[in-house]
Amino acid sequence: MVFTVAKIIFAILAIIGTTFLIPIGAAVLLGEYSEIPAFVVPMVASWIFATVFLLVGRKKKAVLSSRAAFVSVALAWIAACFFGLIPFYANGGIPNLTDAFFESASGFTTTGATIVTEVESLSRTVNLWRCQTHWLGGMGIIALTVALLPLLGVGGFQLIKAETTGPEKGKLTPKITTTAKMLWFMYLGMTIVETLLLKIAGMDWIDALSHSFATLGTGGFSTRNASVGAFNSAAIEWICFAFMFLGGVNFSLYYYLLTRKFSEIAENSELKLYVTINVVAIALITLIELPDYGSFSASLRYSAFQTVSVLSTTGFATADYTAWRPAAQAVIFALFFIGGSSGSTGGGIKVVRWLILAKQLHNEIQKLLHPHGVFSIRLNKRAGRKDVVFSVAAFFFMYVILLFVTTFFACLFGLDLFSSFTGAMSMLGNVGPGFGALGPSNNYNFLAAPIKWCYSFAMVAGRLEFFTLIIFFSPAYWKKH
């Protein structure tokens, strides 16, 4: 098992290393030649190690158990975060190892929380890499590896199950490698479209590509200190709004769109609720903030952007919502508990879990009224499995436990209770900004090192939806059977 896990991890690092060619190309175009070694050296090293493991094990039939899948995914994400910090750390852009790991973890988990106080002081090449980590982590580094390296000879579906978000996981096509390729091709196509639109709207190519990476990955890193608001462009904001919304939708629905299975889209219960939550939240905040913005169009512009930014867990900012009226802040606060759709690049608890709980609540009420009745949860106009409810209940229990543990840990090292609580929500939900001292106009640089390491763990745990990382650190997992 050890050899198989090592082979998977080094293959993943080689894939990530290969994507260093994008910032290397940008460095050449921008004349930032001093940045190149920090990308070239780890890239070549990853190729060498991956080649050795693939050649040595090419004749070995790898059998991946569920235990091996969990450890592979957990170690791969931790290794990716360490590997991704090299360009930040090597050239002195982020000279502190704790900060560099935090930034890398925040990038790959698509959280978007940053320790960089002056984003614009970083080279444009490094800023591009910051945003690119969102793009890689958004669709999933495991899914990318399974799509590109089926020659690994391991159970790709088991790996993707341990990485994919949402309570129900399945294949869109008979082969998991084909499914992974389809998802990544759609993801790439949407990225190209958004990049072109942002360029037309006024960004240069590097900014357009960077923000496309961050938007579709629902991450939130920007090349500007003031985030998307720095561009002061309604066109740019509405383009980002559209793709943040799309990033929060289950990507399976785009496959159904391409294959003309429109009934699957029309009947999707989670999509209906996701759209409803967006519309209701935008309408409420627009009306609440109308007196402050003075016009309906301005209020709608800022309210819509921040609503979708928080719900999709992107974390971009065009306004400081902590300065809004209390009622508007309450709506934003509620969105922290929801998140995007299952199978999306968005984080959070996920819309479908709230939908399942709401339907179960309805069933419990019905049972009280009709004790002998038989009731089942229906999703997408089909009866759902009972075990999904148990899975969701276990997820919520784990979420609450980790929320309070993370909150307590931050309080232990001096952060105030409200900031600690919203920070924990933000880390576990991969949102980015919080409230209080961690609001959208602030960053995470001032936090004590232990809090940063705790938050880094929380971000990875949240991205893998708790169980994969918790199982990895569980003593019971390591007992011999």
Side-chain angles (χ1 to χ4, degrees):
M1 184 185 90
V2 174
F3 183 85
T4 301
V5 170
K7 183 170 72 169
I8 292 169
I9 291 171
F10 281 111
I12 289 167
L13 295 184
I15 294 291
I16 296 172
T18 303
T19 69
F20 280 179
L21 290 170
I22 297 173
I24 288 171
V28 172
L29 291 173
L30 295 167
E32 296 179 343
Y33 302 111
S34 62
E35 300 289 350
I36 294 177
F39 291 96
V40 170
V41 173
M43 177 179 71
V44 173
S46 70
W47 289 348
I48 293 171
F49 279 105
T51 300
V52 169
F53 272 87
L54 288 173
L55 289 177
V56 171
R58 68 185 185 278
K59 293 182 180 179
K60 293 182 180 181
K61 179 66 177 177
V63 179
L64 197 69
S65 65
S66 58
R67 291 167 62 83
F70 279 118
V71 73
S72 298
V73 172
L75 282 176
W77 273 83
I78 294 170
C81 292
F82 275 107
F83 188 70
L85 70 78
I86 296 174
F88 300 142
Y89 186 76
N91 284 348
I94 304 177
N96 181 285
L97 183 63
T98 296
D99 288 348
F101 183 81
F102 182 95
E103 199 76 6
S104 181
S106 181
F108 278 109
T109 60
T110 73
T111 304
T114 184
I115 51 82
V116 181
T117 53
E118 288 293 330
V119 171
E120 292 166 42
S121 68
L122 297 176
S123 70
R124 300 197 72 196
T125 300
V126 168
N127 263 323
L128 176 62
W129 170 242
R130 287 173 71 241
C131 297
Q132 188 179 319
T133 57
H134 284 331
W135 192 73
L136 293 170
M139 185 56 68
I141 55 176
I142 303 295
L144 178 60
T145 304
V146 170
L148 297 180
L149 287 179
L151 56 93
L152 277 175
V154 298
F157 185 56
Q158 289 174 300
L159 290 171
I160 289 181
K161 275 179 68 180
E163 180 187 57
T164 309
T165 61
E168 292 190 298
K169 302 160 188 182
K171 303 176 185 178
L172 292 173
T173 60
K175 291 185 177 180
I176 192 62
T177 54
T178 306
T179 298
K181 285 176 183 176
M182 285 292 300
L183 291 172
W184 268 96
F185 274 126
M186 292 187 292
Y187 193 45
L188 177 61
M190 292 169 71
T191 304
I192 293 170
V193 170
E194 185 185 0
T195 301
L196 292 172
L197 290 175
L198 289 175
K199 178 65 175 70
I200 293 169
M203 287 186 178
D204 64 29
W205 283 113
I206 300 297
D207 280 340
L209 182 59
S210 298
H211 286 84
S212 293
F213 283 158
T215 303
L216 277 166
T218 59
F221 279 158
S222 176
T223 59
R224 297 288 190 272
N225 290 328
S227 190
V228 176
F231 296 95
N232 195 27
S233 166
I236 288 173
E237 290 169 24
W238 283 114
I239 291 167
C240 289
F241 164 88
F243 283 92
M244 284 191 293
F245 178 88
L246 294 174
V249 172
N250 191 326
F251 270 70
S252 299
L253 299 183
Y254 301 133
Y255 173 77
Y256 294 138
L257 183 65
L258 291 175
T259 54
R260 298 186 178 184
K261 295 180 180 179
F262 302 121
S263 61
E264 294 285 348
I265 301 172
E267 295 173 0
N268 190 271
S269 306
E270 185 181 31
L271 177 64
K272 293 175 184 176
L273 183 56
Y274 176 69
V275 172
T276 301
I277 293 170
N278 271 290
V279 171
V280 171
I282 291 170
L284 283 173
I285 297 174
T286 300
L287 293 175
I288 293 167
E289 287 299 310
L290 186 58
D292 295 328
Y293 284 108
S295 71
F296 180 80
S297 60
S299 185
L300 176 63
R301 170 182 168 183
Y302 294 105
S303 301
F305 189 94
Q306 290 307 141
T307 294
V308 173
S309 180
V310 172
L311 185 62
S312 67
T313 72
T314 305
F316 277 149
T318 55
D320 184 357
Y321 55 73
T322 62
W324 283 352
R325 296 176 180 231
Q329 290 187 50
V331 177
I332 292 292
F333 185 75
L335 299 179
F336 271 72
F337 286 96
I338 300 174
S341 304
S342 60
S344 71
T345 60
I349 291 173
K350 299 292 185 298
V351 173
V352 71
R353 288 193 174 96
W354 288 107
L355 181 61
I356 289 169
L357 287 183
K359 287 181 176 289
Q360 182 61 23
L361 173 62
H362 177 263
N363 284 350
E364 293 298 326
I365 294 172
Q366 290 293 97
K367 286 178 184 177
L368 290 174
L369 296 175
H370 310 284
H372 301 293
V374 178
F375 306 97
S376 63
I377 289 175
R378 296 187 66 80
L379 293 173
N380 309 332
K381 294 188 176 181
R382 291 186 287 271
R385 304 191 320 269
K386 278 187 176 181
D387 60 337
V388 173
V389 179
F390 303 142
S391 172
V392 171
F395 176 91
F396 269 90
F397 178 76
M398 184 66 72
Y399 175 83
V400 171
I401 293 296
L402 288 176
L403 178 63
F404 282 103
V405 168
T406 308
T407 299
F408 173 76
F409 193 87
C411 288
L412 201 61
F413 286 89
L415 190 61
D416 68 272
L417 177 60
F418 185 57
S419 298
S420 296
F421 182 71
T422 60
M425 287 172 55
S426 183
M427 297 300 99
L428 293 171
N430 304 132
V431 179
F435 282 81
L438 302 176
S441 60
N442 303 317
N443 61 46
Y444 289 71
N445 185 63
F446 71 95
L447 296 176
I451 299 178
K452 291 175 183 175
W453 284 107
C454 174
Y455 277 0
S456 297
F457 170 83
M459 286 187 280
V460 177
R463 173 59 183 83
L464 299 179
E465 300 210 320
F466 311 145
F467 293 108
T468 297
L469 209 59
I470 295 300
I471 288 172
F472 176 69
F473 283 103
S474 169
Y477 173 85
W478 297 102
K479 288 181 181 178
K480 291 184 178 181
H481 292 275

